[in-house]
Amino acid sequence: MENDAKRKSPPKILIVDDISINVGILENIIQAEGYESLCALSVQEALGIMDETMPDLILSDYSMPGMNGLEFCRLLKSNPRTRKIPFIFITVADSREDKKAAFMAGAVDFIPKPFEPVEVIMRVNNQLNSFRIRQEMEDYNRMMHKMVSEQKKHMDKERQNILLALAGVIEKRSVHGARNMERIGENCRVLAQSLQLVPEYEMQVTDDFVETIGIAARLHDIGRIVTPDNPVEDENISGENTREFQMKHTAEGAQILKEISEGGIDSHFLDMAIVIAGYHHAKWDGTGCPENVSGEQIPLAARITALINDFDLLLGRKYGGGQNPVEESVKAINAASGTYYDPGIVRVFNKILKRLRTE
């Protein structure tokens, strides 16, 4: 609206020359064409005018006492607020060196003295039209960028809803009782957010990473949809079934999500979910699934989800009936630091326990 109003009013032309008669001549030519003139006899006076009223185009003498036209042009082009204003030199100078310096400083044209009204108006009109077209293109590009961004947000929301629906299916499918996938996702998000403050993780854990893991982590057990649960459990701290079952449901889970992605649902949420589904049973010491994947070879999103998922399982299944389920679960997590879990993540986990959902 502001740009539309500006275009409906006559363009403002700032004339800067230390010789008043030159200013008067240009002012008459400009006003006769229907433009509004702003006049200054020095660069300092011109800068004062620009503090109050921003011109659409500047006509400036090349040689003036104090700050000259070349320095004035460089000053304006160094300022984001004024760099786009077309700058035309008015001068008797016609040397190749002067013109090169002027164009290098950011000038768009020259008007020679003495002034020829037709030439003045022609050059002014050309630059104003070019400036208007550039402004319209910038406005159009901003509008298109906004439309694309809004469309992308809408598509991302639809994709999130599909993934969340899948997470709901997983939760109902679990033979271990109700699993709150929303709680696991939220705790992963909180833990990831806290890792942003730790130097060894801050470069990997962006704001987008934090928001994405809150959704993607809920899909870590999607392989259970097609993998029959094995009621036989070993002494694994995670409380999962046999190693064979772990290997199968992580591979199946990653494959399911890859097929969804190949089917047209392409998103950064899905990309992270594939990684988490495939690696959330990997162990820091390399004894988990997939085999021989250890330490920082395990994707960070999977390391975070592994810890939070096991914490949730311990709370509900192993220590859920005890007097201090949180305390016992935390002890078990710490006992496996450096073997099953990334010790750096465990340290942060211990510091933020009060922020994690446990019910």
Side-chain angles (χ1 to χ4, degrees):
M1 292 298 292
E2 183 179 346
N3 287 339
D4 291 341
K6 186 175 181 180
R7 292 186 189 115
K8 289 176 182 177
S9 62
K12 298 177 178 63
I13 313 296
L14 175 60
I15 303 166
V16 189
D17 196 320
D18 61 308
I19 300 175
S20 59
I21 190 169
N22 289 336
V23 173
I25 293 171
L26 283 173
E27 184 176 23
N28 289 335
I29 296 171
I30 292 301
Q31 289 180 347
E33 188 66 15
Y35 298 140
E36 181 180 341
S37 62
L38 306 168
C39 302
L41 296 176
S42 70
V43 171
Q44 290 303 322
E45 186 179 353
L47 291 172
I49 291 172
M50 293 179 70
D51 285 338
E52 301 293 331
T53 305
M54 195 62 65
D56 297 286
L57 184 142
I58 297 171
L59 301 176
S60 173
D61 189 22
Y62 195 95
S63 301
M64 291 182 286
M67 182 182 290
N68 62 33
L70 195 62
E71 294 169 328
F72 181 35
C73 183
R74 287 172 178 156
L75 176 66
L76 297 183
K77 296 305 175 181
S78 68
N79 187 337
R81 182 168 172 261
T82 57
R83 66 165 55 125
K84 293 181 181 180
I85 301 172
F87 194 105
I88 299 177
F89 277 111
I90 48 177
T91 180
V92 294
D94 195 31
S95 72
R96 179 175 298 179
E97 291 75 17
D98 287 342
K99 287 187 175 180
K100 180 180 179 181
F103 287 128
M104 290 293 291
V108 293
D109 207 348
F110 272 84
I111 295 177
K113 297 177 183 178
F115 304 121
E116 174 59 47
V118 173
E119 183 177 11
V120 171
I121 293 305
M122 179 191 70
R123 294 182 183 278
V124 166
N125 284 343
N126 284 343
Q127 294 306 325
L128 284 174
N129 287 335
S130 296
F131 181 63
R132 176 180 55 79
I133 291 170
R134 288 197 299 272
Q135 292 294 97
E136 289 175 351
M137 285 301 298
E138 288 178 6
D139 290 346
Y140 175 78
N141 289 336
R142 278 193 292 269
M143 180 188 70
M144 290 301 296
H145 179 73
K146 182 179 180 181
M147 289 177 60
V148 170
S149 296
E150 289 176 350
Q151 186 177 26
K152 184 178 182 299
K153 287 179 182 178
H154 179 70
M155 292 173 66
D156 281 347
K157 187 63 178 178
E158 289 184 340
R159 289 162 178 162
Q160 283 185 45
N161 290 338
I162 292 172
L163 298 182
L164 290 175
L166 284 172
V169 172
I170 299 166
E171 189 169 354
K172 293 176 182 177
R173 176 71 176 79
S174 176
V175 298
H176 302 300
R179 294 289 311 286
N180 190 329
M181 295 300 171
E182 180 182 354
R183 180 177 62 231
I184 291 174
E186 175 61 16
N187 283 348
C188 283
R189 189 192 68 79
V190 171
L191 180 54
Q193 188 177 53
S194 302
L195 291 173
Q196 286 183 301
L197 304 176
V198 181
E200 63 186 294
Y201 303 104
E202 62 180 350
M203 296 299 293
Q204 297 181 66
V205 187
T206 62
D207 290 342
D208 186 61
F209 181 104
V210 171
E211 294 308 313
T212 300
I213 198 171
I215 302 295
R218 303 186 198 184
L219 297 169
H220 67 279
D221 268 345
I222 191 172
R224 289 180 180 275
I225 293 176
V226 295
T227 307
D229 281 300
N230 186 341
V232 179
E233 296 182 358
D234 58 16
E235 296 303 315
N236 186 349
I237 187 173
S238 68
E240 290 293 344
N241 298 330
T242 62
R243 180 181 178 81
E244 181 181 354
F245 172 73
Q246 290 181 353
M247 292 179 67
K248 186 171 180 58
H249 97 265
T250 53
E252 291 284 0
Q255 184 58 37
I256 289 169
L257 293 172
K258 286 177 184 176
E259 289 175 1
I260 293 173
S261 178
E262 291 168 357
I265 303 179
D266 182 21
S267 74
H268 55 292
F269 294 100
L270 200 49
D271 291 340
M272 185 183 285
I274 291 170
V275 168
I276 291 173
Y279 288 89
H280 72 280
H281 281 305
K283 301 292 189 288
W284 185 254
D285 63 2
T287 61
C289 306
E291 295 180 340
N292 302 319
V293 177
S294 63
E296 293 185 358
Q297 293 176 325
I298 306 167
L300 180 57
R303 281 181 263 157
I304 294 169
T305 305
L307 190 153
I308 291 298
N309 178 53
D310 286 359
F311 178 58
D312 196 82
L313 283 164
L314 289 164
L315 276 172
R317 197 161 73 232
K318 191 165 186 178
Y319 300 115
Q323 292 184 340
N324 299 301
V326 174
E327 182 180 338
E328 294 300 322
S329 299
V330 171
K331 284 182 180 178
I333 294 292
N334 278 277
S337 177
T339 53
Y340 289 171
Y341 311 117
D342 179 339
I345 295 178
V346 174
R347 283 193 294 271
V348 176
F349 165 79
N350 288 324
K351 293 178 181 178
I352 63 161
L353 275 171
K354 291 183 179 180
R355 294 178 56 198
L356 298 178
R357 290 175 55 184
T358 55
E359 296 181 357

PDB file of all heavy atoms in Angstrom, residues 6 9 12 27 36 63 67 100 131 134 140 142 155 167 171 173 234 241 265 298 359:
ATOM      1  N   LYS A   6       3.090   5.846  -3.053  1.00  0.00           N
ATOM      2  CA  LYS A   6       4.284   6.570  -3.490  1.00  0.00           C
ATOM      3  C   LYS A   6       4.296   6.728  -5.002  1.00  0.00           C
ATOM      4  O   LYS A   6       4.665   7.771  -5.536  1.00  0.00           O
ATOM      5  CB  LYS A   6       5.540   5.834  -3.006  1.00  0.00           C
ATOM      6  CG  LYS A   6       6.837   6.586  -3.289  1.00  0.00           C
ATOM      7  CD  LYS A   6       8.012   5.864  -2.668  1.00  0.00           C
ATOM      8  CE  LYS A   6       9.305   6.636  -2.937  1.00  0.00           C
ATOM      9  NZ  LYS A   6      10.470   5.959  -2.355  1.00  0.00           N
ATOM     10  N   SER A   9       1.958   9.576  -6.382  1.00  0.00           N
ATOM     11  CA  SER A   9       2.424  10.951  -6.211  1.00  0.00           C
ATOM     12  C   SER A   9       3.559  11.209  -7.187  1.00  0.00           C
ATOM     13  O   SER A   9       4.235  10.271  -7.613  1.00  0.00           O
ATOM     14  CB  SER A   9       2.903  11.174  -4.778  1.00  0.00           C
ATOM     15  OG  SER A   9       3.991  10.324  -4.488  1.00  0.00           O
ATOM     16  N   LYS A  12       9.984  12.505  -6.759  1.00  0.00           N
ATOM     17  CA  LYS A  12      10.758  13.596  -6.152  1.00  0.00           C
ATOM     18  C   LYS A  12      12.199  13.515  -6.670  1.00  0.00           C
ATOM     19  O   LYS A  12      12.846  12.479  -6.554  1.00  0.00           O
ATOM     20  CB  LYS A  12      10.744  13.479  -4.625  1.00  0.00           C
ATOM     21  CG  LYS A  12       9.345  13.584  -4.015  1.00  0.00           C
ATOM     22  CD  LYS A  12       9.414  13.372  -2.508  1.00  0.00           C
ATOM     23  CE  LYS A  12       8.040  13.523  -1.863  1.00  0.00           C
ATOM     24  NZ  LYS A  12       7.075  12.506  -2.342  1.00  0.00           N
ATOM     25  N   GLU A  27      15.666  22.916 -11.790  1.00  0.00           N
ATOM     26  CA  GLU A  27      14.383  22.916 -11.086  1.00  0.00           C
ATOM     27  C   GLU A  27      13.254  23.262 -12.039  1.00  0.00           C
ATOM     28  O   GLU A  27      12.187  22.637 -12.023  1.00  0.00           O
ATOM     29  CB  GLU A  27      14.419  23.900  -9.919  1.00  0.00           C
ATOM     30  CG  GLU A  27      13.146  23.877  -9.078  1.00  0.00           C
ATOM     31  CD  GLU A  27      13.244  24.785  -7.871  1.00  0.00           C
ATOM     32  OE1 GLU A  27      14.053  25.734  -7.893  1.00  0.00           O
ATOM     33  OE2 GLU A  27      12.495  24.545  -6.898  1.00  0.00           O
ATOM     34  N   GLU A  36       8.376  16.686  -8.718  1.00  0.00           N
ATOM     35  CA  GLU A  36       8.601  17.535  -7.536  1.00  0.00           C
ATOM     36  C   GLU A  36      10.106  17.680  -7.338  1.00  0.00           C
ATOM     37  O   GLU A  36      10.839  16.685  -7.361  1.00  0.00           O
ATOM     38  CB  GLU A  36       7.969  16.896  -6.298  1.00  0.00           C
ATOM     39  CG  GLU A  36       8.139  17.709  -5.035  1.00  0.00           C
ATOM     40  CD  GLU A  36       7.506  17.054  -3.804  1.00  0.00           C
ATOM     41  OE1 GLU A  36       6.643  16.167  -3.977  1.00  0.00           O
ATOM     42  OE2 GLU A  36       7.910  17.420  -2.674  1.00  0.00           O
ATOM     43  N   SER A  63      31.797  18.178  -9.097  1.00  0.00           N
ATOM     44  CA  SER A  63      32.801  18.926  -8.334  1.00  0.00           C
ATOM     45  C   SER A  63      32.120  19.974  -7.469  1.00  0.00           C
ATOM     46  O   SER A  63      31.469  20.893  -7.979  1.00  0.00           O
ATOM     47  CB  SER A  63      33.792  19.611  -9.288  1.00  0.00           C
ATOM     48  OG  SER A  63      34.447  18.657 -10.092  1.00  0.00           O
ATOM     49  N   MET A  67      32.405  17.977   0.705  1.00  0.00           N
ATOM     50  CA  MET A  67      32.214  16.643   0.123  1.00  0.00           C
ATOM     51  C   MET A  67      31.775  16.802  -1.321  1.00  0.00           C
ATOM     52  O   MET A  67      30.765  17.451  -1.605  1.00  0.00           O
ATOM     53  CB  MET A  67      31.168  15.849   0.919  1.00  0.00           C
ATOM     54  CG  MET A  67      30.971  14.427   0.392  1.00  0.00           C
ATOM     55  SD  MET A  67      29.708  13.489   1.280  1.00  0.00           S
ATOM     56  CE  MET A  67      30.525  13.235   2.860  1.00  0.00           C
ATOM     57  N   LYS A 100      34.625   6.762 -15.475  1.00  0.00           N
ATOM     58  CA  LYS A 100      34.880   5.442 -14.894  1.00  0.00           C
ATOM     59  C   LYS A 100      34.724   5.481 -13.375  1.00  0.00           C
ATOM     60  O   LYS A 100      34.080   4.605 -12.784  1.00  0.00           O
ATOM     61  CB  LYS A 100      36.282   4.966 -15.267  1.00  0.00           C
ATOM     62  CG  LYS A 100      36.626   3.597 -14.698  1.00  0.00           C
ATOM     63  CD  LYS A 100      38.030   3.165 -15.107  1.00  0.00           C
ATOM     64  CE  LYS A 100      38.370   1.808 -14.518  1.00  0.00           C
ATOM     65  NZ  LYS A 100      39.736   1.362 -14.878  1.00  0.00           N
ATOM     66  N   PHE A 131      14.049   2.361 -12.583  1.00  0.00           N
ATOM     67  CA  PHE A 131      13.915   2.200 -11.135  1.00  0.00           C
ATOM     68  C   PHE A 131      12.540   1.638 -10.782  1.00  0.00           C
ATOM     69  O   PHE A 131      12.411   0.739  -9.947  1.00  0.00           O
ATOM     70  CB  PHE A 131      14.143   3.546 -10.458  1.00  0.00           C
ATOM     71  CG  PHE A 131      14.052   3.503  -8.959  1.00  0.00           C
ATOM     72  CD1 PHE A 131      14.934   2.748  -8.209  1.00  0.00           C
ATOM     73  CD2 PHE A 131      13.069   4.214  -8.287  1.00  0.00           C
ATOM     74  CE1 PHE A 131      14.863   2.700  -6.828  1.00  0.00           C
ATOM     75  CE2 PHE A 131      12.974   4.176  -6.908  1.00  0.00           C
ATOM     76  CZ  PHE A 131      13.874   3.420  -6.180  1.00  0.00           C
ATOM     77  N   ARG A 134      12.355  -2.042 -11.627  1.00  0.00           N
ATOM     78  CA  ARG A 134      13.093  -2.833 -10.630  1.00  0.00           C
ATOM     79  C   ARG A 134      12.289  -2.977  -9.341  1.00  0.00           C
ATOM     80  O   ARG A 134      12.248  -4.056  -8.738  1.00  0.00           O
ATOM     81  CB  ARG A 134      14.454  -2.198 -10.332  1.00  0.00           C
ATOM     82  CG  ARG A 134      15.470  -2.347 -11.450  1.00  0.00           C
ATOM     83  CD  ARG A 134      16.884  -2.069 -10.945  1.00  0.00           C
ATOM     84  NE  ARG A 134      17.021  -0.717 -10.427  1.00  0.00           N
ATOM     85  CZ  ARG A 134      17.337   0.339 -11.167  1.00  0.00           C
ATOM     86  NH1 ARG A 134      17.523   0.203 -12.482  1.00  0.00           N
ATOM     87  NH2 ARG A 134      17.465   1.531 -10.615  1.00  0.00           N
ATOM     88  N   TYR A 140       7.105  -8.009  -6.790  1.00  0.00           N
ATOM     89  CA  TYR A 140       6.568  -9.268  -7.317  1.00  0.00           C
ATOM     90  C   TYR A 140       7.317 -10.456  -6.718  1.00  0.00           C
ATOM     91  O   TYR A 140       6.698 -11.449  -6.313  1.00  0.00           O
ATOM     92  CB  TYR A 140       6.693  -9.263  -8.844  1.00  0.00           C
ATOM     93  CG  TYR A 140       6.269 -10.567  -9.493  1.00  0.00           C
ATOM     94  CD1 TYR A 140       4.925 -10.872  -9.661  1.00  0.00           C
ATOM     95  CD2 TYR A 140       7.227 -11.486  -9.921  1.00  0.00           C
ATOM     96  CE1 TYR A 140       4.535 -12.071 -10.249  1.00  0.00           C
ATOM     97  CE2 TYR A 140       6.851 -12.686 -10.506  1.00  0.00           C
ATOM     98  CZ  TYR A 140       5.505 -12.974 -10.672  1.00  0.00           C
ATOM     99  OH  TYR A 140       5.129 -14.162 -11.248  1.00  0.00           O
ATOM    100  N   ARG A 142       8.905 -10.557  -3.878  1.00  0.00           N
ATOM    101  CA  ARG A 142       8.535 -10.698  -2.462  1.00  0.00           C
ATOM    102  C   ARG A 142       7.181 -11.382  -2.327  1.00  0.00           C
ATOM    103  O   ARG A 142       6.984 -12.234  -1.455  1.00  0.00           O
ATOM    104  CB  ARG A 142       8.512  -9.322  -1.785  1.00  0.00           C
ATOM    105  CG  ARG A 142       9.874  -8.824  -1.346  1.00  0.00           C
ATOM    106  CD  ARG A 142       9.739  -7.635  -0.408  1.00  0.00           C
ATOM    107  NE  ARG A 142       9.215  -6.473  -1.104  1.00  0.00           N
ATOM    108  CZ  ARG A 142       9.960  -5.549  -1.697  1.00  0.00           C
ATOM    109  NH1 ARG A 142      11.271  -5.667  -1.687  1.00  0.00           N
ATOM    110  NH2 ARG A 142       9.407  -4.519  -2.295  1.00  0.00           N
ATOM    111  N   MET A 155       1.927 -27.437   2.991  1.00  0.00           N
ATOM    112  CA  MET A 155       2.304 -28.801   2.607  1.00  0.00           C
ATOM    113  C   MET A 155       3.019 -29.514   3.748  1.00  0.00           C
ATOM    114  O   MET A 155       2.782 -30.702   3.997  1.00  0.00           O
ATOM    115  CB  MET A 155       3.188 -28.752   1.359  1.00  0.00           C
ATOM    116  CG  MET A 155       2.463 -28.284   0.107  1.00  0.00           C
ATOM    117  SD  MET A 155       3.579 -28.056  -1.300  1.00  0.00           S
ATOM    118  CE  MET A 155       4.095 -29.747  -1.593  1.00  0.00           C
ATOM    119  N   ALA A 167       2.155 -42.361  13.588  1.00  0.00           N
ATOM    120  CA  ALA A 167       2.622 -42.516  14.975  1.00  0.00           C
ATOM    121  C   ALA A 167       1.497 -43.045  15.860  1.00  0.00           C
ATOM    122  O   ALA A 167       1.728 -43.863  16.758  1.00  0.00           O
ATOM    123  CB  ALA A 167       3.134 -41.180  15.506  1.00  0.00           C
ATOM    124  N   GLU A 171       1.429 -46.499  18.191  1.00  0.00           N
ATOM    125  CA  GLU A 171       1.104 -46.487  19.619  1.00  0.00           C
ATOM    126  C   GLU A 171       0.050 -47.542  19.950  1.00  0.00           C
ATOM    127  O   GLU A 171       0.150 -48.259  20.945  1.00  0.00           O
ATOM    128  CB  GLU A 171       0.607 -45.095  20.012  1.00  0.00           C
ATOM    129  CG  GLU A 171       0.438 -44.915  21.507  1.00  0.00           C
ATOM    130  CD  GLU A 171       0.206 -43.456  21.872  1.00  0.00           C
ATOM    131  OE1 GLU A 171       0.281 -42.599  20.984  1.00  0.00           O
ATOM    132  OE2 GLU A 171      -0.049 -43.190  23.058  1.00  0.00           O
ATOM    133  N   ARG A 173      -0.496 -50.208  18.224  1.00  0.00           N
ATOM    134  CA  ARG A 173       0.018 -51.529  17.838  1.00  0.00           C
ATOM    135  C   ARG A 173       0.898 -52.160  18.916  1.00  0.00           C
ATOM    136  O   ARG A 173       1.051 -53.361  18.977  1.00  0.00           O
ATOM    137  CB  ARG A 173       0.836 -51.363  16.543  1.00  0.00           C
ATOM    138  CG  ARG A 173       1.528 -52.607  16.028  1.00  0.00           C
ATOM    139  CD  ARG A 173       0.532 -53.612  15.461  1.00  0.00           C
ATOM    140  NE  ARG A 173       1.211 -54.760  14.892  1.00  0.00           N
ATOM    141  CZ  ARG A 173       1.715 -55.771  15.580  1.00  0.00           C
ATOM    142  NH1 ARG A 173       1.625 -55.767  16.902  1.00  0.00           N
ATOM    143  NH2 ARG A 173       2.303 -56.782  14.981  1.00  0.00           N
ATOM    144  N   ASP A 234      15.390 -60.149  26.352  1.00  0.00           N
ATOM    145  CA  ASP A 234      16.671 -60.429  27.000  1.00  0.00           C
ATOM    146  C   ASP A 234      16.894 -59.402  28.115  1.00  0.00           C
ATOM    147  O   ASP A 234      15.980 -58.699  28.514  1.00  0.00           O
ATOM    148  CB  ASP A 234      17.813 -60.410  25.965  1.00  0.00           C
ATOM    149  CG  ASP A 234      17.892 -59.080  25.232  1.00  0.00           C
ATOM    150  OD1 ASP A 234      17.289 -58.080  25.707  1.00  0.00           O
ATOM    151  OD2 ASP A 234      18.565 -59.032  24.185  1.00  0.00           O
ATOM    152  N   ASN A 241      12.914 -56.660  22.519  1.00  0.00           N
ATOM    153  CA  ASN A 241      12.951 -58.110  22.345  1.00  0.00           C
ATOM    154  C   ASN A 241      14.326 -58.552  21.880  1.00  0.00           C
ATOM    155  O   ASN A 241      15.315 -57.855  22.055  1.00  0.00           O
ATOM    156  CB  ASN A 241      11.854 -58.529  21.366  1.00  0.00           C
ATOM    157  CG  ASN A 241      10.475 -58.184  21.907  1.00  0.00           C
ATOM    158  OD1 ASN A 241      10.261 -58.159  23.110  1.00  0.00           O
ATOM    159  ND2 ASN A 241       9.550 -57.900  21.027  1.00  0.00           N
ATOM    160  N   ILE A 265       5.709 -38.180  -0.717  1.00  0.00           N
ATOM    161  CA  ILE A 265       5.702 -37.395   0.516  1.00  0.00           C
ATOM    162  C   ILE A 265       7.144 -37.124   0.904  1.00  0.00           C
ATOM    163  O   ILE A 265       7.770 -37.871   1.654  1.00  0.00           O
ATOM    164  CB  ILE A 265       4.947 -38.126   1.652  1.00  0.00           C
ATOM    165  CG1 ILE A 265       3.526 -38.442   1.220  1.00  0.00           C
ATOM    166  CG2 ILE A 265       4.913 -37.269   2.912  1.00  0.00           C
ATOM    167  CD1 ILE A 265       2.712 -39.172   2.263  1.00  0.00           C
ATOM    168  N   ILE A 298      26.781 -43.080  14.523  1.00  0.00           N
ATOM    169  CA  ILE A 298      25.329 -43.129  14.732  1.00  0.00           C
ATOM    170  C   ILE A 298      24.788 -41.716  14.554  1.00  0.00           C
ATOM    171  O   ILE A 298      25.257 -40.788  15.212  1.00  0.00           O
ATOM    172  CB  ILE A 298      24.987 -43.636  16.148  1.00  0.00           C
ATOM    173  CG1 ILE A 298      25.663 -44.976  16.424  1.00  0.00           C
ATOM    174  CG2 ILE A 298      23.473 -43.740  16.333  1.00  0.00           C
ATOM    175  CD1 ILE A 298      25.640 -45.386  17.887  1.00  0.00           C
ATOM    176  N   GLU A 359       5.104 -38.530  32.770  1.00  0.00           N
ATOM    177  CA  GLU A 359       3.753 -39.119  32.974  1.00  0.00           C
ATOM    178  C   GLU A 359       2.936 -38.976  31.706  1.00  0.00           C
ATOM    179  O   GLU A 359       3.165 -38.069  30.913  1.00  0.00           O
ATOM    180  CB  GLU A 359       3.044 -38.411  34.126  1.00  0.00           C
ATOM    181  CG  GLU A 359       3.729 -38.586  35.470  1.00  0.00           C
ATOM    182  CD  GLU A 359       2.981 -37.877  36.580  1.00  0.00           C
ATOM    183  OE1 GLU A 359       1.968 -37.209  36.259  1.00  0.00           O
ATOM    184  OE2 GLU A 359       3.395 -37.990  37.737  1.00  0.00           O
TER     185      GLU A 359
END
